[in-house]
Amino acid sequence: MAVYTDITDEELADLLAGFDLGVALSFKGIAEGVENSNFLLETTAGRYILTVYERRVREDDLPFFLGLMRWLAGHGYPCAAPVADRAGEILQRVRGKPCAIVEFLPGLSVRRPSAAHCREAGAGLARLHLAADGFTKSRANDLGQDAWAPLFADLRDAAEALKPGLAATIESDLAALEAEWPAGLPRGIVHADYFPDNVFFQGPTFAGAIDFYFACEDMLAYDIAVALNAWCFEADGSFNITSGRALVAGYETHRPLSDAERAALPALAHGAAMRFFLTRLADWGATPAGALVRPKDPLEYERKLAVHRAAPDLVLFGAGV
């Protein structure tokens, strides 16, 4: 989350005039993340999040994202459901940009996940995959494996400036990933950004997920790989096998993995690390001046790439294989 677009009191009042949400009591920006402008909105009817869609989010994709959130909430999955105006419309505009108001989801994210948190997060991810089954809208993963080499072509100089020799290493990784990328695994709707700051807990218990703006159709096991990278590395760059086992065990309480999915986890985790390295590298020099946001360090994921490169079977141990 971040703030790139300021909204005046008058603009907010005009927006709320179409809803049955009462009048605004407080309104403040949320200065986290890198994708959209987000505001915590409190009205006489309750608490909400107003999101103004910026940067990577294409307006044509918003019916998929918002429809998925509504579908999940309607099928018992704890997520922030979009709020419709009096005409039944979810998607709105402010300052000429698309926006939406969603329900406030109670809970807190954790900065230093324990193995117990990882188990709960894994269970929550499997519940998401199951709840999304039957959702009729479709969206391809525009940041999937076939997009990485074209994306890196424009970032080669940036990688070399970040760390001499890195460009050649990334090119070698990309070639290896293209050769070994799995096919034929179970597919469905994936979150694709299932990081600790997008998962809420109430006490020790999973309470819900937010930020579905990278959701798409892909291999379900790819979502697990994203989560293994995001949840199970320590601050010193080492992979926590105990946390990895816990995350996958939690997932399998709701959806057991096939042997093929388990065997594919090393390649999927390597690829998931590549995806986030590349997008962080792209964001590193592209954050607008004055935005209330700090871009995320691409070197964090460069170090994760190095771990997967040096120990390609590491996440098999994390999966308990």
Side-chain angles (χ1 to χ4, degrees), residues 177 180-185 219 264 267-268:
L177 287 166
E180 67 187 12
W181 198 243
L185 300 181
M219 294 173 283
L268 293 171

Side-chain angles (χ1 to χ4, degrees), residues 111-113 162-163 166 170 194-197 226-239 269-270 272-281 284 294-309:
R111 292 186 179 275
R112 298 288 299 272
L162 192 68
K163 186 176 180 180
L166 181 57
I170 296 301
Y194 197 75
F195 276 60
D197 57 352
V226 170
L228 286 169
N229 284 333
W231 289 79
C232 303
F233 275 84
E234 298 291 348
D236 64 3
S238 63
F239 182 75
H270 191 174
M274 178 62 72
R275 175 265 191 253
F276 285 96
F277 167 74
L278 291 173
T279 52
R280 287 188 177 193
L281 184 61
W284 192 241
R294 181 176 60 198
K296 295 179 179 177
D297 185 0
L299 285 174
E300 176 189 349
Y301 268 78
E302 186 274 331
R303 291 188 289 270
K304 293 178 183 182
L305 283 170
V307 170
H308 292 305
R309 194 181 304 121

Side-chain angles (χ1 to χ4, degrees), residues 105-144:
L105 185 67
L108 296 172
S109 59
V110 293
R111 292 186 179 275
R112 298 288 299 272
S114 66
H117 287 125
C118 290
R119 184 180 180 89
E120 284 286 305
L125 184 59
R127 288 174 57 195
L128 190 162
H129 291 166
L130 295 174
D133 188 33
F135 182 59
T136 56
K137 288 183 169 59
S138 179
R139 176 180 179 269
N141 186 356
D142 56 7
L143 289 170

Side-chain angles (χ1 to χ4, degrees), residues 43-234:
T43 77
T44 49
R47 302 180 81 188
Y48 305 90
I49 300 293
L50 168 63
T51 298
V52 181
Y53 299 104
E54 322 250 12
R55 304 191 64 180
R56 278 199 202 99
V57 179
R58 293 192 298 260
E59 189 165 352
D60 288 349
D61 286 331
L62 289 172
F64 173 87
F65 298 140
L66 296 170
L68 175 61
M69 292 160 66
R70 174 168 273 195
W71 170 276
L72 290 171
H75 286 76
Y77 189 79
C79 70
V83 179
D85 66 10
R86 294 190 193 95
E89 297 295 327
I90 295 172
L91 192 58
Q92 309 290 324
R93 299 193 79 81
V94 65
R95 288 278 179 108
K97 298 179 180 181
C99 68
I101 296 173
V102 302
E103 295 175 352
F104 181 83
L105 185 67
L108 296 172
S109 59
V110 293
R111 292 186 179 275
R112 298 288 299 272
S114 66
H117 287 125
C118 290
R119 184 180 180 89
E120 284 286 305
L125 184 59
R127 288 174 57 195
L128 190 162
H129 291 166
L130 295 174
D133 188 33
F135 182 59
T136 56
K137 288 183 169 59
S138 179
R139 176 180 179 269
N141 186 356
D142 56 7
L143 289 170
Q145 182 272 324
D146 58 352
W148 299 336
L151 179 58
F152 183 64
D154 294 329
L155 297 172
R156 194 182 192 285
D157 291 346
E160 196 64 17
L162 192 68
K163 186 176 180 180
L166 181 57
T169 301
I170 296 301
E171 287 173 338
S172 177
D173 276 354
L174 288 169
L177 287 166
E178 182 177 7
E180 67 187 12
W181 198 243
L185 300 181
R187 298 177 66 87
I189 300 299
V190 298
H191 186 283
D193 195 31
Y194 197 75
F195 276 60
D197 57 352
N198 289 331
V199 176
F200 286 175
F201 292 82
Q202 290 186 322
T205 304
F206 172 82
I210 63 169
D211 201 351
F212 286 81
Y213 302 115
F214 288 107
C216 57
E217 182 183 346
D218 208 322
M219 294 173 283
L220 298 179
Y222 174 73
D223 231 7
I224 300 171
V226 170
L228 286 169
N229 284 333
W231 289 79
C232 303
F233 275 84
E234 298 291 348

